[in-house]
Amino acid sequence: KQEVTQIPAALSVPEGENLVLNCSFTDSAIYNLQWFRQDPGKGLTSLLLIQSSQREQTSGRLNASLDKSSGRSTLYIAASQPGDSATYLCAVRRNYGQNFVFGPGTRLSVLP
Amino acid sequence: DTGVSQNPRHKITKRGQNVTFRCDPISEHNRLYWYRQTLGQGPEFLTYFQNEAQLEKSRLLSDRFSAERPKGSFSTLEIQRTEQGDSAMYLCASSRLRSTGRVETQYFGPGTRLLVL
């Protein structure tokens, strides 16, 4: 059974810092991995999708890497801003059409 | 608005009552998923449809839960005889299965927050 963990559970940083969020999964036979953002009481917004054959994806200040063999992914946020404050969720999908298995999330607070 | 919509956004009910939630997916999406999210946790998969066919159900989906997608468009999730443990955010997502067999990413709705008193 696939299990996804995320470290740290919560993180508080001053504005402007670069930071790294970590995601680990137990079964490396994944189809893809996706990072989501969730604001309090809201649904999920997709940030970055990495296919199993890819090593990283970038979008603006965000960079996500994938090391499938070791079961790890990192989300790097450059020059953090207060608007980045949210919960960041990592999710893996095993094969075509299968549901996501989510991690518990990292709750990020960026202080002005 | 062409995103996934869910109604109601909030529902408060008393234990033992039945509740029904609705999800309207993105119009061209043939796959629809339901997830449940409790406080401080990531979403957990409940069930998914391809068109009107329910293809998979999680063990989390007890007999009190039933989901339908009668015309392959919107979907409903009903919980009968609600219990306090059913209090959670219920999220719907949709995606498209292409003729090539490739499934595109899932787009999530805003969720329905259920509180059972």
Side-chain angles (χ1 to χ4, degrees):
Chain A
K1 179 189 171 188
Q2 178 73 272
E3 292 184 1
V4 181
T5 55
Q6 291 186 246
I7 294 173
L11 184 62
S12 184
V13 299
E15 182 177 5
E17 275 204 7
N18 303 324
L19 51 97
V20 175
L21 308 181
N22 297 290
C23 171
S24 298
F25 46 95
T26 54
D27 185 352
S28 61
I30 63 169
Y31 177 62
N32 60 32
L33 181 146
Q34 197 156 355
W35 283 92
F36 292 88
R37 168 185 173 139
Q38 186 173 33
D39 292 288
K42 302 289 179 63
L44 279 65
T45 301
S46 176
L47 297 174
L48 290 165
L49 169 69
I50 311 177
Q51 300 294 347
S52 62
S53 58
Q54 297 176 320
R55 298 282 294 181
E56 67 177 343
Q57 283 287 325
T58 298
S59 176
R61 294 182 294 108
L62 305 180
N63 175 276
S65 66
L66 173 64
D67 184 345
K68 201 173 72 163
S69 60
S70 67
R72 294 179 182 178
S73 175
T74 60
L75 178 66
Y76 176 81
I77 303 176
S80 57
Q81 303 171 358
D84 295 331
S85 298
T87 295
Y88 291 80
L89 294 155
C90 163
V92 298
R93 203 166 92 201
R94 190 164 60 84
N95 55 26
Y96 289 120
Q98 289 295 321
N99 56 286
F100 281 114
V101 177
F102 282 86
T106 293
R107 191 170 61 254
L108 173 65
S109 296
V110 181
L111 306 174
Chain B
D1 189 336
T2 57
V4 179
S5 62
Q6 293 187 244
N7 288 287
R9 295 292 308 278
H10 304 273
K11 178 72 176 178
I12 300 174
T13 191
K14 293 182 179 179
R15 189 178 57 182
Q17 297 294 305
N18 300 340
V19 295
T20 300
F21 311 139
R22 175 177 170 131
C23 170
D24 287 89
I26 294 171
S27 59
E28 64 268 26
H29 284 186
N30 46 24
R31 289 212 166 172
L32 187 148
Y33 306 77
W34 284 99
Y35 293 83
R36 181 176 71 183
Q37 185 178 25
T38 53
L39 206 59
Q41 299 298 316
E44 295 173 293
F45 169 75
L46 293 178
T47 188
Y48 89 95
F49 293 83
Q50 181 167 319
N51 300 314
E52 65 275 9
Q54 189 173 17
L55 296 188
E56 186 175 347
K57 293 195 293 185
S58 160
R59 283 171 287 181
L60 292 175
L61 214 64
S62 75
D63 292 343
R64 297 184 297 105
F65 288 70
S66 62
E68 294 182 343
R69 195 182 183 198
K71 297 181 181 179
S73 56
F74 73 91
S75 175
T76 58
L77 177 67
E78 181 183 16
I79 309 174
Q80 296 181 327
R81 303 181 305 281
T82 52
E83 302 173 355
Q84 288 182 322
D86 297 332
S87 296
M89 172 84 90
Y90 290 84
L91 293 163
C92 174
S94 70
S95 67
R96 179 166 49 184
L97 171 66
R98 291 193 172 271
S99 56
T100 57
R102 184 180 183 90
V103 179
E104 297 178 346
T105 190
Q106 296 176 23
Y107 292 85
F108 283 78
T112 294
R113 184 171 293 282
L114 172 67
L115 177 61
V116 182
L117 302 176

